[in-house]
């Protein structure tokens, strides 16, 4: 189960590039992520912006939700697990 106090695990730079490109296109996509209780959530939404604060990167969805990048499962069919963890 994810813990909002757990250390942030950086995501692969290539996956980050996918997120940036998706946000720039401003089209609605399916976003899957784990919420604070570890429950899979699914939204069809636009990615508004990517940001970093206190060493944690987040994406803002057009619903107003902010999701830690290390909680993302997939965006527009591209899975975080398709990319190797950064070293």
């Amino acid at each position: 189960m994810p813990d909002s106090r757990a250390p942030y695990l950086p995501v692969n730079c290539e996956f980050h590039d996918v997120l940036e490109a998706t946000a720039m296109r401003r089209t609605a996509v399916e976003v899957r992520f784990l919420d604070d209780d570890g429950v899979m959530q699914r939204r069809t939404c636009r990615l508004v912006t990517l940001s970093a604060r206190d060493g944690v990167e987040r994406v803002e969805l057009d619903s107003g939700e902010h999701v830690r990048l290390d909680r993302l499962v997939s965006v527009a069919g591209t899975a975080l697990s398709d990319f190797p963890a950064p070293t």
Side-chain angles (χ1 to χ4, degrees):
M1 170 184 320
D3 180 344
S4 60
R5 297 166 296 168
Y8 176 74
L9 301 173
V11 298
N12 179 287
C13 290
E14 291 176 50
F15 185 70
H16 198 278
D17 291 345
V18 168
L19 298 175
E20 288 178 335
T22 302
M24 286 188 337
R25 282 193 295 275
R26 297 182 180 171
T27 57
V29 296
E30 182 180 80
V31 177
R32 294 173 158 234
F33 62 94
L34 298 175
D35 67 15
D36 287 341
D37 295 321
V39 177
M40 178 72 71
Q41 299 292 322
R42 182 179 4 175
R43 305 283 187 275
T44 299
C45 59
R46 290 182 306 109
L47 306 185
V48 176
T49 188
L50 299 168
S51 63
R53 190 176 86 204
D54 300 326
V56 177
E57 294 179 292
R58 293 178 178 82
V59 61
E60 179 183 354
L61 309 180
D62 65 0
S63 64
E65 296 169 284
H66 291 81
V67 179
R68 284 173 45 153
L69 297 191
D70 61 348
R71 298 272 178 82
L72 292 171
V73 174
S74 66
V75 173
T78 302
L80 174 60
S81 62
D82 290 344
F83 298 90
T87 54

